[in-house]
Amino acid sequence: MAQAVNRYKADLREIEFVLFEQLKLQELLGKPPFEQWGEEEVRMVLPEVYRFATEVSGPINQIGDQEGCKLVDGHVKTPTGFKEAWKRFNEAGWGGLSVDAAHGGQGAPRTLGSVANELISGSNTSFQMYGGLTIGAAELIMSFGTDEQRHLYVPKMLEGQFGGTMCLTEPHAGSDVGDCNTSAVKNADGTYRIKGTKIFISGGDHDLADNIVHMVLARIEGAPKGTKGLSLFIVPKRWVKPDGTLGDFNDVITASIEHKMGICASSTCVLNFGENDACRGYLCGTLEHQGIAQMFQMMNGARILVGVQGVAAASSAYLNALEYAKERKQGSSIAAMKDPNAPRVPIIQHPDVRRMLLDMKSRVEGIRLLGLTLTSHLDRASVLAKSDPDRAAYHRGQVDLLTPIFKSYATDQGFQVAATAIQTYGGAGFLKDHPAEQYCRDAKIFSIYEGTNHIQALDLVGRKLRQQGGKPALDFFGEVARFIETHASHPRLASGIEELRKAHAAAGQVFGKLMEWGKAGAVDLTSLTANRVLELMAELTVGWLLLEGATIAHERLSELSEGQPDYAFYVGKCHAALFYALNTLPGVSSKVEIIARADRSAVEIPEEAFATV
Ligand SMILES: Cc1cc2nc3c(=O)[nH]c(=O)nc-3n(C[C@H](O)[C@H](O)[C@H](O)COP(=O)(O)OP(=O)(O)OC[C@H]3O[C@@H](n4cnc5c(N)ncnc54)[C@H](O)[C@@H]3O)c2cc1C
């Protein structure tokens, strides 16, 4: 059995660089709705959350992986240490860090909340999911619930006395949520009788909280088919009396829990609602048939959170592999490879190991920057909502555009970086003695749940790129063009900026193709190329943001001399950005070329030709 040992690592200097030197979070602090937050407060929170991650949630990560959750007498038991960690998480108020202060949260910028999620998720993804879903569910009730519903549920959810879930998936309705069969029939007292089976429900049952508030999509009798006929219901595990005390169990049965390849300490449940015809739910708020639009608030938040999970796993996998590469000695240096008497060197001295390390470094920094840029747009939109509605709308447009890009790219990269970390270790990486294998197993689900990455790609090409006549996409391309123009002859980064220029020009051609196929009704080509379009958009964004960070780092370097503590840090940032630009951005043009070929092989191959077995 695993010992309670922390294996989580994070680079707080890097996070502070992104927050304050690149995204300039300080420009928003002290302004409504962040008037309670100054730079000092933000800088104080980071090490506190890091301490929680390394002292509380981190040490139970491997234990949780090995013990998993267990279904005992119809109730889920979480692994050793999770209850105590949950208590401390809620005492510290980390769940409500960026929840609106008017609803009892701490009202911090989303960008800080996102960093806190990274630190906690990186230390223990399974643990972080219980809190993340609870807050997402509470925010749904805050936004759409009645005053009474807010009063009964939200404070207890923010305090961790109640957990929360999102219940969309059914055995036959996964990506196609509109196929949902769960039904709702109105009772005389205004509640609804809920009946149906939901599967794969994260945190669907557990012993961390006294009650669990399920946010359930169901179809009211007679409502139209498809997503438009869905309504959103608050279905508590235990009924809550008007005075807030707990009443009877509400006929929500945990039929089973899934046994998974990763995030084993997160309970993934099959829930039967109304097995005994005694399950009641409230309509969330007062409007029927608005369920999918309302649930989208939680889904959009969850998509960002899942992207953050990818960043978190990748970051710690990389930092652990880096530490190992400095210690493990193997072979002689490449310069002395023919000399049998040459001393053994740490593997970090081998060119291919350095390539893997720099590849991981640039991807980790790139996806973090992508995610925090996205949440920074959210924060800027909040600050400007009243004073400058046009600018606020610009920031919201960027949030919409970047959400599917971040969810998909950060989760694909999260898994790939964890796999590269294993490769860096060699055989040791395959062992449970090191954390990379758990990161890799845990990270695989990120590209599947919250809408598979292909569903994200369809959202990008089918909706987000066309939104408002393409304005957010055009704004985005304009920003990148201005950056290229300003820095084209940069003394250190010009070769990278040139790659960005080529990638930017190539990516622009994709829109013509998408429009052409749209007009011709060639939806199969849109679907066949969507993942590639998303990936090249992500690479363009990450390449741009890394180079932007590198221009700042380069400026700082001119003020420092070699021995000073930050010198190596800024040098590292320039190297990571150039590496990404020179090794990844050239792939954008080839992706555009592949897309333009309009290859239909995958749809043309007869089904029986895939294999003759
Ligand atoms: C550990 C875990 C936790 C989860 N937590 C939750 C939760 O808390 N709440 C919840 O409601 N759900 C949850 N889910 C469910 C998750 O969101 C779904 O698994 C996911 O949306 C995919 O649905 P599916 O598994 O039915 O796959 P399917 O929809 O059957 O998809 C299978 C494959 O077909 C592709 N595909 C499907 N439709 C299309 C299409 N129209 N065009 C092209 N390709 C398509 C998909 O991309 C995928 O590759 C969880 C799942 C897991 C495994």
Side-chain angles (χ1 to χ4, degrees), residues 465 472-482 503-505 507-508 511 537 540:
L465 288 177
L474 289 171
D475 287 344
F476 165 85
F477 271 84
E479 286 278 316
V480 182
R482 271 189 290 284
H504 178 262
F511 297 99
M537 282 291 292
L540 178 67

Side-chain angles (χ1 to χ4, degrees), residues 129 133 164-177 198-204 215 258 260 262-263 266-269 295 298 445 447-456 458 527 531:
M129 287 181 68
L133 284 156
T165 70
M166 60 195 299
C167 298
L168 292 84
T169 308
E170 299 183 7
H172 60 285
S175 300
D176 191 355
V177 179
K198 297 283 181 183
I199 64 165
F200 289 149
I201 303 307
S202 299
M215 303 304 293
E258 306 298 349
K260 312 189 294 286
I263 58 164
S266 164
S267 66
T268 308
C269 302
M295 190 56 110
M298 187 166 179
I445 187 58
S447 61
I448 297 170
Y449 60 24
E450 259 329 298
T452 64
N453 282 0
H454 178 63
I455 298 295
Q456 305 301 319
L458 289 180
S527 177
N531 290 25

Side-chain angles (χ1 to χ4, degrees), residues 382-562:
S382 303
V383 167
L384 296 169
K386 289 199 181 117
S387 59
D388 191 345
D390 288 347
R391 197 69 193 149
Y394 156 77
H395 288 295
R396 279 195 300 275
Q398 297 306 296
V399 171
D400 288 347
L401 180 69
L402 293 179
T403 298
I405 295 177
F406 176 56
K407 193 280 178 181
S408 280
Y409 192 66
T411 59
D412 281 340
Q413 294 306 313
F415 179 66
Q416 281 173 25
V417 167
T420 306
I422 295 176
Q423 194 69 21
T424 309
Y425 277 91
F430 198 63
L431 308 184
K432 291 189 187 295
D433 307 28
H434 297 282
E437 63 82 32
Q438 187 186 343
Y439 285 125
C440 197
R441 285 184 291 107
D442 284 355
K444 187 57 217 135
I445 187 58
F446 305 157
S447 61
I448 297 170
Y449 60 24
E450 259 329 298
T452 64
N453 282 0
H454 178 63
I455 298 295
Q456 305 301 319
L458 289 180
D459 180 42
L460 179 72
V461 296
R463 269 198 292 263
K464 301 298 168 57
L465 288 177
R466 295 157 195 245
Q467 203 161 297
Q468 300 170 49
K471 186 173 184 308
L474 289 171
D475 287 344
F476 165 85
F477 271 84
E479 286 278 316
V480 182
R482 271 189 290 284
F483 173 80
I484 294 168
E485 208 181 301
T486 311
H487 297 285
S489 35
H490 192 280
R492 171 103 190 253
L493 304 165
S495 59
I497 309 272
E498 174 56 14
E499 289 305 328
L500 184 67
R501 189 192 62 71
K502 288 191 220 155
H504 178 262
Q509 296 165 22
V510 164
F511 297 99
K513 274 283 155 210
L514 291 175
M515 270 160 59
E516 185 189 315
W517 294 335
K519 276 190 196 137
V523 280
D524 59 339
L525 285 176
T526 311
S527 177
L528 282 170
T529 55
N531 290 25
R532 211 167 245 131
V533 173
L534 185 142
E535 197 174 18
L536 71 87
M537 282 291 292
E539 287 170 348
L540 178 67
T541 318
V542 166
W544 162 45
L545 294 172
L546 282 174
L547 284 165
E548 185 191 63
T551 60
I552 298 165
H554 183 259
E555 245 181 82
R556 301 274 190 279
L557 274 174
S558 63
E559 299 151 13
L560 296 171
S561 53
E562 225 172 303

Side-chain angles (χ1 to χ4, degrees), residues 138-205:
E139 287 188 319
L140 261 191
I141 301 176
M142 285 174 213
S143 298
F144 304 111
T146 61
D147 284 346
E148 191 192 353
Q149 290 167 350
R150 278 194 276 268
H151 175 73
L152 269 188
Y153 293 100
V154 171
K156 291 207 163 73
M157 293 171 87
L158 292 188
E159 286 163 13
Q161 289 180 48
F162 292 0
T165 70
M166 60 195 299
C167 298
L168 292 84
T169 308
E170 299 183 7
H172 60 285
S175 300
D176 191 355
V177 179
D179 258 358
C180 159
N181 272 346
T182 299
S183 62
V185 179
K186 198 162 188 176
N187 294 317
D189 66 358
T191 62
Y192 289 75
R193 204 161 68 247
I194 307 290
K195 197 169 176 64
T197 296
K198 297 283 181 183
I199 64 165
F200 289 149
I201 303 307
S202 299
D205 192 52

Side-chain angles (χ1 to χ4, degrees), residues 94-111:
W94 297 138
L97 187 60
S98 49
V99 170
D100 190 347
H103 291 288
Q106 298 191 49
R110 292 270 162 184
T111 308

